[in-house]
Amino acid sequence: GVKDGRWTVLQLVEALGFSLENTDPRTRGRGIQLLSQVLLQCYSLLQEKEVLHLVLFYESRLQDHHLVVPSVLQGLRALSMCEMLSPGLAVSVLKAIFQEVHVQSLLQLDRHTVYSIITNFMSTREEELKGLGADFTFGFIQVMDGEKDPRNLLVAFQIVRDLIAKDYALGPFVEELFEVTSCYFPVDFTPPPNDPHGIQREDLILSLRAVLASTPQFAEFLLPLLIEKLDSELQSAKLDSLQTLSACCAIYGQKELQEFLPSLWSSLRREVFQTASEKIETECLAALHALSACLSRSVLSSDSEDLLDSFLSSILQDCRHHLCEPDMKLVWPSAKLLQAAAGASLRTYHHITRSILPLLLEQYTKHTQSSQRRTILEMLLGFLELQQKWGHAEEDESTLLLLQAPVCSVVFSALTDPSVQLQLVGIKALTVLGSLQGFLSSSDLELVVDHLIRLALHEEDSQSSEAAMEAAGSLAPTYPKVFSGRMVPRLEEELQSEREESYHNHRSLQQRCLQALAAVSTHTSIVRETVPVLLQHLQKVQKGTEAGNTQDMVSVCQSLHRVALQCQQDAEGCWYFHRTVVPCLLAMAVQAAMQESTHTLPGKALLEEEVLAAMIPVISAATTHLSPELAAQSVSHVVPLFLDGEVSFLPQNSFPGSFQPFGDGECLEAQRRLVALLMAFVCSLPRDVAIPQQEWLLRELLALSCSCNCPFTATTAAKCFAGLVNKHAAGQQLDEILQLAVNKMEPALAEGPRRTQALTLLLWVTKALVLRYHPLSSSLTDKLLGLLGDTELGPAAADGFSLLMAESPDVLHKGCHADVRIMFRQRFFTDNVPKLVQGFHRAGPDVKANYLKGLSHVLNHLPKPVLVTELPTLLSLLLEALSCSDRVVQLSTLSCLHPLLLEAPQIMSLHVDTLVTKFLNLTSSPTMAVRIAALRCAHALTSLPTTVLLPYKGRVIRALAKPLDDKKRLVRKEAVAARGEWFLLGSPGR
Amino acid sequence: MVGPGPGAAPLENANPLIYRRSGERPVTAREEDDELPDAIDDREIFDILIRSINDPEHPLTLEELNVVEQVRVKVNDAESTVSVEFTPTIPHCSMATLIGLSIKVKLIRSLPERFKLDVHITPGTHASEHAVNKQLADKERVAAALENSHLLEVVNQCLSARS
């Protein structure tokens, strides 16, 4: 009644009068409880006067019997949320609570109420509370002293944080406030199992850390505590101390740290030198970094000594000599400490490198073994990378610049060392040096390029060669002139040379040249040099008659592809690449195809599936990132080329015949294959680029896909059709063309010589429509499901499910702007898996496997989390699938079961008997991949509850002895891992 | 009996020199070919059998401590023999027997039965080399040691996968 205003609170109080004044504390408690409940519901409606009276009433009740107090606090909490509270009342309430209530003897919930009251007042009555001065802080300290419950602690810590952050007067109570919070450090709390409150240890740690690291006033108390905990044995205490120290450094200055620096440093040093834990080491280094940064930040007052200098000097003193010890025992910990300090600021960097860099250079020359040199160079590299962080330093200050010559000579000597490992570090160092603006002189740069060329082309080890190419690629944008002027001509020369070396050497050198040309093409000006070289080489190979030139052409295409990817982001480079490469490739292909149509001449290799397949990604990558205007310009040339034989835009102008890829005639077989290049281009265009004569093109593609005898051409035409249909705007035109496709497919699927082609077309069109959630997709999918029962096409249809679900590399993926809905796989799963299961149960024994195969393809491509939630319902079917003799089904079923074993052990343990038997059987499959997967599953079985597994232990261990002697190493590896884990089951010490 | 873990006696060698771990063995095309057999070689034994064993005293693998090196692992697949030499971190390491036992157990569990195993200390690297070698070579003593559940526990701890 009070809520909707029919009653006033006053009336309620009067009505409750009897119980409020009753002598029995229980009755009184109930009365107050009722009143408090009402207030909690309608505190926002109270008038100022009412609030006043209520507050006075409640305050007086605080002295009441302990049974009554909880309800009184509830009422006060309600009142603390009132906006109508008159000034002064908040203070009076808090005073009353501080005086009358011994908070820590209350229950958890009631203590929480007290904290809520304080929090409420702090957020609304900040000024009034501050008027209390340090008394408020003291009162609160008494309230929270001895708190044990993690829920309350989180609130209490927040209050302390606010006290400090909002600048409440702490007065003489700083140490008390610190004591009352720091007694929880380091937090030792393990949430009870099934804890409904969900408070993690981490929450408390972070919350307490925020308190402790909130004010420099705590420093004199906190730092000794941190040092003490850091010196303890407990790993978690060390970690927490280190992280807290790092947090403190964000607000401390040198005044706070001064006294404790020596002991902090000695603790940190000890930990880094001795610890076996990577985590502690990382945190120590972070803390040292924070300390150094903090000291560098502190503004120096003229009279005090510069703490940073003395701090760094002590670090240097303790670490420096380790770098010189001949046994190099503590070099890494020392180097890491030095680097952590050096990374803190420019000042620390100079201070430390001034002393360390010359030392490292000297050590490098002193040691002669390449493994030791490598260690030293790696440390040097660490310092160089830090320099990168500071960017271009003023010249007179940089130690590095003074040492330019010796650093270069050390790095160059590493590059010529026979040890590959040392070379690799050298190459990395070179990359870093190159990125430091103005560090390398032009003569050094030429030397760098020469080294890179030598390593890239002639170094036997492929790791070094690849690293050199990478380095060239990353340095080229900084020094395009040097690379295009020096490296590209050298590579071109090598590529063209016809040395009479052994055939094999010559080929691998050419391969390296091609890779290097691609790798260095990371700047537009270089691309303009390398692309013509690559194209020229392609033409040369095409004219050659040597065996193996298929492989060479594929290599050129791979290099072109890499270049295309590298210049995609740069509009100018991308357009240059497109207008240079695409017409050239088309012209070469058209030329070759025409020659083939007239008479058999060289050039045939270019038309091999492998080569055409390698050109697809080149054209595709050159097209996807074009701006719509440029793409439209290009499409107006390419489509007429295929539809009308319009060759005029191609760079070559003398063609021996006409180009009619969609024409009839036996002799046009070769020309039809070039639909692959059309597909690469037209399916990669941005979606908003209009394709001229699209409907005509679609009809031609449709006809070709159903009528062509060559599987390559038919499949490509189907893919091209599907790629266009996927992007085609919805509407009547699309419906018509789809109807036409269905009309073509249905009779062809039913019977006749071209059932396979029709199935391929069906698969690709279905995929195109499934991806974009087109309504027709479900009827096409149903058709496909029907075909699973077909004895002839069934297996192919089952494999087709993999095509539907997998990402296809050349068309119908996000990269080529296809319309792909993100959840299409899940949707396909929900729509079709029940049908697959039904079909399986109804199917005859000869085609059952097809359904299983289809199912396993769908499951295999589902995201793992979805799989784990959905699979239990399919489990019995999957267990049946394990007995299927088809290895694709076996393999994918095993890979479905694997995550289930790990993530749903309870469900799986119900079937342990079947699983053990089936897995062990499959470990002797003739297929290596199945054996591996079965062993992995047998390994994963060990995550089921041990009691379930123990009865099988002996049997499994005996059975796994056999794959230990498998002829394949990869199988043995899995067997060893699985058997080792089974041995540990139920044994002590696991 | 020795037992690792916090609170135990101070480490004998608290600050060992730590060696870099070699990378994963790259998988070759040949290994992926279903038909061709791959012989068991030194690296394989080193890799899957020993690299993963932890030292009882340090949270490090025997590889990182250089207790086992690939050059000291010899395999002859045709004759079914394996010989492993291990080098204790210090000449008086009291853990030598335990380390040897762990290696031996790991090999027994991981190799086909046809193999004859020989695990011994690298000559000249331990004070009581011969005594330890003798214990490790004695089949019955090894079997008896594994009956001891406390010892088995420590061995299993060494063989458990890194957390």
Side-chain angles (χ1 to χ4, degrees):
Chain A
V2 180
K3 240 199 280 189
D4 42 32
R6 277 184 287 133
W7 284 49
T8 65
V9 177
L10 195 64
Q11 284 169 311
L12 177 69
V13 173
E14 278 168 3
L16 285 171
F18 169 71
S19 57
L20 290 181
E21 284 165 18
N22 197 300
T23 45
D24 176 24
R26 280 171 217 283
T27 320
R28 248 188 355 261
R30 271 203 298 279
I32 295 179
Q33 189 181 8
L34 176 68
L35 181 60
S36 299
Q37 291 300 333
V38 172
L39 292 180
L40 277 174
Q41 303 244 343
C42 55
Y43 58 84
S44 54
L45 304 172
L46 298 179
Q47 302 298 313
E48 191 171 339
K49 199 112 182 246
E50 294 172 328
V51 176
L52 176 68
H53 287 296
L54 286 166
V55 166
L56 291 177
F57 167 71
Y58 273 110
E59 275 179 16
S60 66
R61 289 294 97 193
L62 278 172
Q63 304 168 13
D64 204 332
H65 194 272
H66 68 91
L67 284 175
V68 181
V69 171
S71 308
V72 175
L73 290 172
Q74 284 298 334
L76 285 172
R77 184 165 75 90
L79 295 170
S80 72
M81 293 186 278
C82 277
E83 284 176 36
M84 299 305 295
L85 201 67
S86 2
L89 281 184
V91 170
S92 122
V93 168
L94 286 178
K95 269 189 174 161
I97 291 180
F98 292 159
Q99 230 161 50
E100 306 297 345
V101 189
H102 184 244
V103 176
Q104 288 306 320
S105 59
L106 298 173
L107 293 174
Q108 182 269 330
L109 187 66
D110 304 323
R111 299 200 303 272
H112 195 271
T113 311
V114 175
Y115 295 124
S116 306
I117 295 172
I118 299 177
T119 313
N120 291 338
F121 282 145
M122 282 176 77
S123 62
T124 54
R125 317 270 150 178
E126 191 179 325
E127 286 311 314
E128 289 179 43
L129 299 196
K130 282 186 176 165
L132 265 177
D135 286 350
F136 175 58
T137 310
F138 181 66
F140 176 72
I141 290 173
Q142 282 184 317
V143 166
M144 86 164 281
D145 191 3
E147 180 61 61
K148 289 234 162 48
D149 191 274
R151 288 162 283 177
N152 289 351
L153 279 175
L154 282 182
V155 189
F157 289 157
Q158 182 60 47
I159 294 176
V160 181
R161 226 187 312 173
D162 288 343
L163 280 178
I164 294 167
K166 304 218 170 114
D167 223 7
Y168 283 80
L170 304 184
F173 303 114
V174 174
E175 184 166 4
E176 275 80 1
L177 190 61
F178 174 75
E179 289 298 334
V180 83
T181 46
S182 68
C183 61
Y184 302 99
F185 183 86
V187 171
D188 178 24
F189 166 68
T190 330
N194 310 323
D195 177 28
H197 311 293
I199 295 180
Q200 296 297 315
R201 186 164 167 269
E202 202 58 22
D203 301 332
L204 283 168
I205 290 182
L206 292 178
S207 166
L208 177 59
R209 183 173 305 151
V211 171
L212 296 179
S214 59
T215 170
Q217 295 183 70
F218 283 166
E220 54 175 319
F221 315 112
L222 179 59
L223 289 172
L225 179 69
L226 293 180
I227 293 170
E228 180 196 322
K229 297 296 172 196
L230 190 53
D231 296 350
S232 78
E233 283 293 314
L234 210 62
Q235 175 132 343
S236 59
K238 289 184 188 201
L239 274 181
D240 202 354
S241 308
L242 289 165
Q243 287 164 345
T244 308
L245 177 60
S246 299
C248 290
C249 287
I251 57 156
Y252 285 6
Q254 63 175 3
K255 185 172 106 250
E256 284 78 23
L257 291 171
Q258 180 159 24
E259 193 185 333
F260 303 100
L261 279 177
S263 34
L264 280 172
W265 162 239
S266 81
S267 295
L268 289 175
R269 183 190 57 201
R270 187 199 57 229
E271 289 302 318
V272 172
F273 279 175
Q274 293 189 359
T275 188
S277 150
E278 210 167 303
K279 247 199 207 144
I280 293 203
E281 186 190 88
T282 316
E283 291 303 336
C284 281
L285 296 175
L288 181 61
H289 179 96
L291 274 175
S292 318
C294 174
L295 292 176
S296 329
R297 212 175 37 232
S298 303
V299 187
L300 299 176
S301 50
S302 52
D303 51 336
S304 74
E305 102 186 272
D306 185 352
L307 278 182
L308 181 65
D309 267 352
S310 58
F311 183 60
L312 293 177
S313 300
S314 59
I315 296 180
L316 279 169
Q317 194 192 342
D318 290 336
C319 291
R320 214 183 122 102
H321 64 273
H322 288 301
L323 302 182
C324 317
E325 301 286 345
D327 62 352
M328 303 184 79
K329 234 176 176 176
L330 287 170
V331 284
W332 268 119
S334 308
K336 282 180 185 167
L337 285 167
L338 288 167
Q339 284 167 3
S345 71
L346 195 55
R347 267 184 72 205
T348 57
Y349 182 76
H350 285 312
H351 190 117
I352 286 181
T353 48
R354 205 160 44 226
S355 148
I356 294 300
L357 287 187
L359 183 74
L360 285 177
L361 294 170
E362 183 193 313
Q363 288 295 312
Y364 184 90
T365 34
K366 235 186 220 168
H367 288 283
T368 48
Q369 280 185 30
S370 47
S371 65
Q372 290 166 328
R373 288 188 153 192
R374 171 179 153 210
T375 306
I376 296 169
L377 191 58
E378 275 178 335
M379 290 188 279
L380 188 65
L381 176 63
F383 287 104
L384 295 180
E385 279 168 348
L386 289 175
Q387 169 87 43
Q388 234 177 347
K389 180 172 151 190
W390 304 120
H392 184 46
E394 300 95 278
E395 303 211 354
D396 51 317
E397 246 194 290
S398 169
T399 336
L400 199 55
L401 275 181
L402 297 175
L403 295 169
Q404 200 256 1
V407 168
C408 283
S409 89
V410 158
V411 172
F412 288 149
S413 94
L415 294 179
T416 47
D417 194 276
S419 154
V420 173
Q421 298 304 323
L422 186 53
Q423 283 175 15
L424 288 175
V425 187
I427 294 170
K428 242 189 251 165
L430 204 58
T431 320
V432 177
L433 289 181
S435 70
L436 300 174
Q437 284 271 314
F439 183 79
L440 294 173
S441 69
S442 61
S443 62
D444 282 334
L445 258 178
E446 287 178 3
L447 209 52
V448 166
V449 173
D450 291 345
H451 275 299
L452 289 178
I453 296 173
R454 176 182 56 78
L455 288 167
L457 298 184
H458 303 293
E459 172 56 45
E460 266 175 44
D461 188 272
S462 62
Q463 260 180 304
S464 280
S465 152
E466 273 163 35
M469 292 185 200
E470 286 308 318
S474 72
L475 290 178
T478 323
Y479 311 101
K481 282 222 178 73
V482 186
F483 279 90
S484 65
R486 199 169 176 91
M487 187 157 184
V488 178
R490 274 285 303 283
L491 293 172
E492 184 178 4
E493 197 180 303
E494 293 279 357
L495 197 58
Q496 286 168 349
S497 72
E498 302 276 353
R499 251 176 282 164
E500 293 300 314
E501 278 175 85
S502 76
Y503 172 68
H504 182 77
N505 277 350
H506 183 64
R507 284 212 45 198
S508 79
L509 183 64
Q510 297 231 314
Q511 291 281 341
R512 291 269 185 96
C513 281
L514 293 175
Q515 288 166 3
L517 278 169
V520 79
S521 305
T522 46
H523 186 270
T524 314
S525 72
I526 302 174
V527 171
R528 284 172 194 273
E529 308 278 335
T530 53
V531 164
V533 176
L534 288 169
L535 288 176
Q536 216 179 352
H537 187 65
L538 186 64
Q539 275 158 346
K540 191 183 120 194
V541 177
Q542 187 211 353
K543 284 186 191 119
T545 47
E546 293 169 54
N549 58 5
T550 310
Q551 195 44 49
D552 288 344
M553 281 194 251
V554 171
S555 305
V556 180
C557 290
Q558 283 165 345
S559 288
L560 282 170
H561 181 219
R562 180 163 176 189
V563 178
L565 294 177
Q566 283 163 354
C567 56
Q568 270 178 347
Q569 298 311 324
D570 167 50
E572 193 200 336
C574 187
W575 176 235
Y576 167 78
F577 189 90
H578 184 88
R579 74 185 145 82
T580 317
V581 174
V582 173
C584 178
L585 291 182
L586 283 173
M588 286 171 69
V590 168
Q591 172 101 21
M594 283 178 184
Q595 284 171 351
E596 178 115 337
S597 321
T598 44
H599 37 80
T600 329
L601 266 183
K604 200 177 170 189
L606 193 74
L607 300 175
E608 279 177 34
E609 280 172 29
E610 234 181 305
V611 180
L612 288 177
M615 287 185 187
I616 291 173
V618 181
I619 297 182
S620 178
T623 309
T624 49
H625 285 63
L626 283 185
S627 71
E629 301 78 55
L630 295 174
Q633 194 181 327
S634 187
V635 78
S636 67
H637 294 306
V638 177
V639 172
L641 169 68
F642 280 84
L643 287 178
D644 311 316
E646 181 56 59
V647 294
S648 59
F649 87 101
L650 297 176
Q652 259 166 300
N653 275 322
S654 55
F655 290 100
S658 63
F659 183 56
Q660 303 166 291
F662 293 116
D664 285 324
E666 280 301 307
C667 59
L668 296 175
E669 191 55 52
Q671 298 194 2
R672 289 191 199 114
R673 297 163 80 83
L674 303 194
V675 170
L677 304 185
L678 173 67
M679 173 193 83
F681 172 74
V682 85
C683 291
S684 306
L685 289 168
R687 229 182 289 173
D688 48 0
V689 175
I691 294 162
Q693 298 165 304
Q694 176 157 231
E695 310 312 312
W696 179 18
L697 184 61
L698 282 168
R699 274 161 220 268
E700 294 287 7
L701 287 168
L702 191 58
L704 186 59
S705 71
C706 292
S707 64
C708 186
N709 284 322
C710 164
F712 175 79
T713 310
T715 308
T716 319
K719 279 160 87 172
C720 189
F721 181 77
L724 290 175
V725 160
N726 174 267
K727 293 186 204 170
H728 198 298
Q732 202 196 342
Q733 276 188 327
L734 179 62
D735 296 343
E736 274 172 20
I737 197 79
L738 285 174
Q739 195 51 50
L740 194 67
V742 173
N743 293 346
K744 279 236 171 199
M745 278 187 282
E746 282 200 329
L749 276 173
E751 55 181 352
R754 299 215 171 83
R755 293 188 77 193
T756 324
Q757 279 94 325
L759 175 63
T760 309
L761 180 63
L762 172 63
L763 281 170
W764 282 103
V765 176
T766 311
K767 183 174 171 84
L769 298 184
V770 164
L771 290 180
R772 65 182 275 186
Y773 289 1
H774 190 278
L776 194 62
S777 66
S778 62
S779 78
L780 292 182
T781 317
D782 287 344
K783 208 160 284 168
L784 203 54
L785 285 165
L787 284 173
L788 288 175
D790 185 297
T791 37
E792 189 192 342
L793 289 182
D799 283 332
F801 278 86
S802 145
L803 186 150
L804 288 185
M805 303 311 286
E807 182 101 329
S808 101
D810 38 14
V811 290
L812 290 177
H813 60 86
K814 272 264 157 70
C816 62
H817 312 289
D819 186 354
V820 182
R821 306 297 177 90
I822 38 171
M823 303 286 271
F824 83 92
R825 290 193 179 88
Q826 280 94 318
R827 186 169 152 148
F828 191 85
F829 172 86
T830 359
D831 288 352
N832 297 301
V833 164
K835 295 182 197 163
L836 274 169
V837 174
Q838 234 174 25
F840 170 79
H841 289 302
R842 278 206 220 118
D846 50 338
V847 293
K848 261 191 187 321
N850 296 340
Y851 289 89
L852 282 179
K853 205 174 194 176
L855 179 66
S856 54
H857 283 312
V858 177
L859 296 179
N860 243 336
H861 288 97
L862 217 53
K864 285 282 174 279
V866 184
L867 191 67
V868 171
T869 54
E870 298 287 348
L871 269 190
T873 51
L874 296 169
L875 202 53
S876 59
L877 197 62
L878 286 174
L879 294 177
E880 205 163 329
L882 279 182
S883 320
C884 175
S885 62
D886 186 305
R887 66 189 171 83
V888 177
V889 176
Q890 289 170 352
L891 200 55
S892 67
T893 311
L894 288 170
S895 67
C896 284
L897 288 173
H898 191 261
L900 268 190
L901 288 165
L902 300 176
E903 284 161 52
Q906 297 305 332
I907 304 168
M908 300 304 271
S909 33
L910 302 175
H911 305 277
V912 64
D913 195 67
T914 323
L915 291 170
V916 167
T917 314
K918 299 267 164 85
F919 290 159
L920 292 181
N921 281 342
L922 289 175
T923 59
S924 48
S925 151
T927 312
M928 170 168 71
V930 174
R931 297 202 296 279
I932 291 177
L935 286 167
R936 278 192 190 147
C937 283
H939 189 169
L941 268 180
T942 56
S943 55
L944 302 192
T946 309
T947 43
V948 180
L949 297 175
L950 277 182
Y952 301 92
K953 182 173 171 179
R955 183 176 148 204
V956 173
I957 286 177
R958 273 194 306 281
L960 291 183
K962 200 182 140 225
L964 287 182
D965 213 358
D966 198 281
K967 66 176 177 178
K968 297 306 297 175
R969 178 170 299 131
L970 297 173
V971 178
R972 296 195 293 265
K973 184 174 160 188
E974 299 299 335
V976 167
R979 195 163 189 254
E981 211 48 50
W982 273 89
F983 260 108
L984 294 177
L985 271 185
S987 289
R990 189 194 181 194
Chain B
M1 216 34 246
V2 279
L11 301 181
E12 284 181 356
N13 182 4
N15 186 20
L17 186 53
I18 300 168
Y19 289 79
R20 188 176 286 264
R21 276 189 283 158
S22 46
E24 286 286 313
R25 178 181 193 152
V27 177
T28 60
R30 182 196 156 88
E31 284 174 350
E32 284 177 344
D33 189 319
D34 229 332
E35 301 306 318
L36 305 169
D38 317 315
I40 297 181
D41 62 11
D42 301 352
R43 170 79 197 246
E44 178 171 349
I45 302 290
F46 179 68
D47 261 358
I48 43 190
L49 309 186
I50 292 169
R51 273 176 64 177
S52 56
I53 304 180
N54 292 317
D55 182 274
E57 282 199 315
H58 302 281
L60 296 168
T61 64
L62 296 189
E63 182 190 17
E64 286 164 309
L65 294 165
N66 215 30
V67 171
V68 187
E69 296 161 275
Q70 198 187 325
V71 290
R72 303 196 187 281
V73 178
K74 294 274 174 281
V75 181
N76 189 327
D77 195 11
E79 290 172 18
S80 302
T81 56
V82 170
S83 148
V84 175
E85 281 181 352
F86 67 99
T87 317
T89 46
I90 47 172
H92 296 280
C93 181
S94 64
M95 299 289 169
T97 322
L98 185 59
I99 293 174
L101 191 62
S102 299
I103 295 175
K104 185 123 191 185
V105 170
K106 182 77 183 174
L107 290 173
I108 292 173
R109 290 178 183 178
S110 310
L111 279 177
E113 267 184 278
R114 64 187 165 91
F115 276 91
K116 190 172 159 357
L117 310 176
D118 173 26
V119 177
H120 59 267
I121 294 181
T122 312
T125 60
H126 196 266
S128 38
E129 186 181 321
H130 291 291
V132 175
N133 286 346
K134 209 170 152 193
Q135 284 192 33
L136 289 174
D138 188 335
K139 268 188 190 161
E140 277 162 28
R141 289 183 76 161
V142 170
L146 293 181
E147 301 279 304
N148 176 336
S149 76
H150 195 97
L151 198 52
L152 185 63
E153 181 179 342
V154 183
V155 169
N156 280 341
Q157 269 167 4
C158 297
L159 302 187
S160 293
R162 264 168 186 252
S163 52

